[in-house]
Amino acid sequence: MLRKKLVRITDYFFGLPDAKVTLALLIGLSILSPIALYNSFSQATLMKGLLLFAIPGILISYILSLLEPKIPLKRPLFLSCVGTLIYLAAYYLSYTVGLNVMLFAGFAASFVLWHLVSRLFFCLGDKKSFVAASFQFICYAIPANLFGILATPAVPQALASSLVSAVALCLLAEVTGGPFRKAFGISIIEGVSQFFGQWLYGSQELDRAFEKLGTSVESTIGVFRFRTKTQNILLVSPGVHFGPFGTLGGSRFSSMLAAALKKSKNDIVAVFHGTAGHELNPVSES
């Protein structure tokens, strides 16, 4: 029951379209792509569009979802749609401008996007996120090479630009995230990944990281009690600031406190989100 409630909260904040809708959008973009790339629409160009965009996007999305069942299919499919727009823009600009640098920029942008999303939102870890980004590069580069968009000598250059861009972004995050590492003992990328991992997938890694920084304190709890012959009604205002949602920051403290104070099934316990400073934020449920 709790897991279903957390999923509903996640869907509220991450209102991505359903997988079927996203799949239809991806196929639709692929069908319309020949108009932009070739200024024509025929059976041959239609197949090119599907092989250039839809098939690679569907392939990487389904494989990722199968290997990592925790990731709903709609998320990698939506990412594939965004990647398709990037590749489509890069292919179009390479035709109009006539420079391979546009292709390199497109492949690098998509590589970085897949790596960051896989690392931060899919919580795959450094190695797996690089593997996912590299696999999507292969899936898109092969048809691009077969149809003459990306020449064979340019494939290693496109891959090199993608890897350099991803590594440079990681190094930039490491350098600028020095204060975060000093304060929390982990890199900023790891911290963001653990945050979304706990929010989206119920991971407890962020709790364990914060437990090392937390200290034990005593706090007061305000209680208004109304008693009848058959039940107790308790209005509780704790002196801690729990939250923000899901299992983060001791968000379930209110339900745990209510269960501890409820002495019989007839009792009613309402735990309010009372006013308190952030210095008393719970770091975990333990």
Side-chain angles (χ1 to χ4, degrees):
M1 182 61 68
L2 176 62
R3 181 60 184 167
K4 291 181 179 179
K5 290 181 180 179
L6 292 179
V7 170
R8 292 195 195 103
I9 295 174
T10 298
D11 289 339
Y12 176 77
F13 284 100
F14 290 87
L16 296 179
D18 182 74
K20 293 180 181 179
V21 175
T22 309
L23 180 61
L25 178 61
L26 178 59
I27 294 175
L29 287 173
S30 303
I31 291 175
L32 295 176
S33 62
I35 300 177
L37 293 179
Y38 305 107
N39 199 24
S40 65
F41 189 79
S42 63
Q43 185 174 358
T45 57
L46 172 63
M47 289 303 299
K48 283 186 178 181
L50 292 174
L51 290 173
L52 281 170
F53 303 113
I55 301 303
I58 294 172
L59 182 63
I60 180 62
S61 298
Y62 273 90
I63 290 179
L64 184 59
S65 184
L66 287 174
L67 294 179
E68 297 290 338
K70 67 179 183 181
I71 304 174
L73 179 60
K74 66 179 183 178
R75 291 176 186 165
L77 274 177
F78 186 81
L79 184 57
S80 293
C81 283
V82 177
T84 292
L85 291 175
I86 293 175
Y87 281 117
L88 181 58
Y91 295 169
Y92 176 77
L93 290 174
S94 69
Y95 274 124
T96 56
V97 180
L99 295 175
N100 278 341
V101 67
M102 298 299 176
L103 292 175
F104 299 157
F107 275 94
S110 185
F111 190 99
V112 169
L113 177 67
W114 271 91
H115 173 252
L116 283 181
V117 173
S118 298
R119 184 67 182 90
L120 299 180
F121 296 98
F122 296 163
C123 307
L124 295 183
D126 290 327
K127 293 182 179 179
K128 287 186 178 181
S129 60
F130 263 110
V131 170
S134 300
F135 183 65
Q136 71 82 32
F137 175 90
I138 295 172
C139 289
Y140 284 97
I142 290 177
N145 176 254
L146 291 176
F147 292 124
I149 296 176
L150 185 66
T152 300
V155 173
Q157 294 174 292
L159 179 59
S161 65
S162 300
L163 292 174
V164 169
S165 299
V167 172
L169 191 61
C170 290
L171 291 176
L172 178 63
E174 187 68 25
V175 172
T176 58
F180 187 92
R181 178 182 288 277
K182 185 177 180 180
F184 298 103
I186 55 177
S187 68
I188 189 170
I189 291 180
E190 187 67 25
V192 174
S193 178
Q194 290 181 5
F195 173 83
F196 284 107
Q198 184 155 351
W199 181 4
L200 301 177
Y201 309 113
S203 169
Q204 299 295 315
E205 291 185 15
L206 192 60
D207 269 3
R208 290 191 289 269
F210 282 169
E211 281 178 354
K212 300 177 182 178
L213 305 174
T215 57
S216 298
V217 298
E218 294 184 359
S219 178
T220 58
I221 296 178
V223 181
F224 287 92
R225 179 186 181 189
F226 301 90
R227 183 170 60 181
T228 67
K229 292 182 179 180
T230 58
Q231 67 177 178
N232 292 297
I233 301 175
L234 302 179
L235 305 180
V236 183
S237 177
V240 295
H241 187 273
F242 51 87
F245 41 73
T247 60
L248 287 171
S251 293
R252 293 195 287 191
F253 174 72
S254 57
S255 60
M256 296 166 66
L257 182 60
L261 294 175
K262 190 173 183 178
K263 300 302 181 182
S264 71
K265 63 179 181 179
N266 293 327
D267 289 349
I268 298 176
V269 181
V271 180
F272 295 95
H273 201 164
T275 57
H278 289 281
E279 68 273 6
L280 295 180
N281 283 11
V283 295
S284 68
E285 291 184 5
S286 61

